Amino acid sequence: DAGITQSPRYKITETGRQVTLMCHQTWSHSYMFWYRQDLGHGLRLIYYSAAADITDKGEVPDGYVVSRSKTENFPLTLESATRSQTSVYFCASSAGTENIQYFGAGTRLSVL
Amino acid sequence: DQQVKQNSPSLSVQEGRISILNCDYTNSMFDYFLWYKKYPAEGPTFLISISSIKDKNEDGRFTVFLNKSAKHLSLHIVPSQPGDSAVYFCAASETSGTYKYIFGTGTRLKVLA
């Protein structure tokens, strides 16, 4: 399907485990973003990427790792999950020719 | 320090009336502003935007007003419909940069039938 998809939609893990959230877009958008949504904070930017092999930190990058070897994929890895990383994670993409981001449906992550 | 603030966590409006959602920002470098709408269990969807060279942008029932001197923007929905019930986020961006957004905390709008 065309668009931006995130997987899994729901994930439960334990503290200390590594977990990877996947994001795939079919538009060939150059920009991709990862946000987390928490009550009282809105959406906060974790990492973003301007193109394949170009990534940079956002507001809350600690504890997260990203990579972008292909334009269409932008996985987010929690190397050693903590309870404070329990959140809803959204991936977004943008063409860069217009300043509009298109969001995936989100991944709800619970760290026990 | 929050650069984009939505001070009303929730708002209830009768169907057919006007809904006004407000947003304040502190960074004078922001020059592009957007509103996103979010339903439960879905991602945010783009609603309307405005560039700092304008003070108003309209799209059907949705109008965004920008007051640069007050660093304030508002979203007007007229007339409000029950399907408008959602969380609304304002976002601010610098167009000369990397297209990063700073989001507000959101306002939950409930339109009562």
Side-chain angles (χ1 to χ4, degrees):
Chain A
D1 286 46
I4 183 164
T5 54
Q6 293 184 234
S7 61
R9 290 295 313 275
Y10 303 91
K11 177 75 177 177
I12 299 174
T13 191
E14 296 176 339
T15 55
R17 298 238 181 189
Q18 183 180 85
V19 58
T20 296
L21 310 183
M22 304 301 293
C23 180
H24 175 78
Q25 51 103 356
T26 59
W27 294 305
S28 299
H29 283 171
S30 53
Y31 287 86
M32 295 189 76
F33 307 84
W34 274 107
Y35 294 88
R36 59 179 289 174
Q37 184 193 4
D38 303 289
L39 201 62
H41 289 281
L43 287 92
R44 291 182 291 174
L45 183 65
I46 303 171
Y47 269 96
Y48 66 100
S49 169
D53 297 322
I54 301 174
T55 62
D56 207 348
K57 296 177 180 180
E59 300 171 69
V60 288
D62 293 344
Y64 303 95
V65 174
V66 293
S67 62
R68 196 165 174 209
S69 57
K70 293 184 178 181
T71 300
E72 62 266 31
N73 296 324
F74 191 37
L76 176 74
T77 297
L78 289 68
E79 292 192 304
S80 179
T82 65
R83 289 202 179 97
S84 65
Q85 292 177 310
T86 293
S87 187
V88 181
Y89 291 85
F90 290 100
C91 178
S93 70
S94 173
T97 53
E98 56 171 5
N99 196 353
I100 295 174
Q101 294 181 20
Y102 299 90
F103 283 79
T107 295
R108 182 175 291 276
L109 175 68
S110 295
V111 183
L112 306 179
Chain B
D1 183 33
Q2 283 230 285
Q3 297 185 66
V4 178
K5 297 179 185 179
Q6 293 177 255
N7 292 317
S8 298
S10 63
L11 175 68
S12 291
V13 172
Q14 285 295 131
E15 181 179 6
R17 305 294 290 269
I18 184 171
S19 296
I20 300 176
L21 293 88
N22 294 302
C23 181
D24 297 294
Y25 62 96
T26 57
N27 188 340
S28 58
M29 297 299 292
F30 292 144
D31 57 3
Y32 195 76
F33 304 89
L34 309 95
W35 285 93
Y36 277 78
K37 176 178 179 180
K38 186 183 178 308
Y39 291 118
E42 295 183 11
T45 55
F46 170 72
L47 189 58
I48 193 169
S49 62
I50 188 167
S51 165
S52 60
I53 62 172
K54 295 184 176 182
D55 53 18
K56 176 182 174 181
N57 189 27
E58 196 169 353
D59 184 1
R61 297 186 296 113
F62 303 91
T63 303
V64 56
F65 295 91
L66 177 62
N67 182 333
K68 290 185 289 293
S69 61
K71 295 192 176 70
H72 176 83
L73 63 153
S74 60
L75 174 69
H76 293 210
I77 306 173
V78 184
S80 301
Q81 299 174 353
D84 296 330
S85 297
V87 177
Y88 290 79
F89 292 98
C90 69
S93 176
E94 298 176 41
T95 52
S96 60
T98 55
Y99 301 98
K100 293 188 295 182
Y101 293 171
I102 301 295
F103 279 92
T105 51
T107 296
R108 183 178 302 277
L109 173 67
K110 188 170 184 179
V111 180
L112 307 170

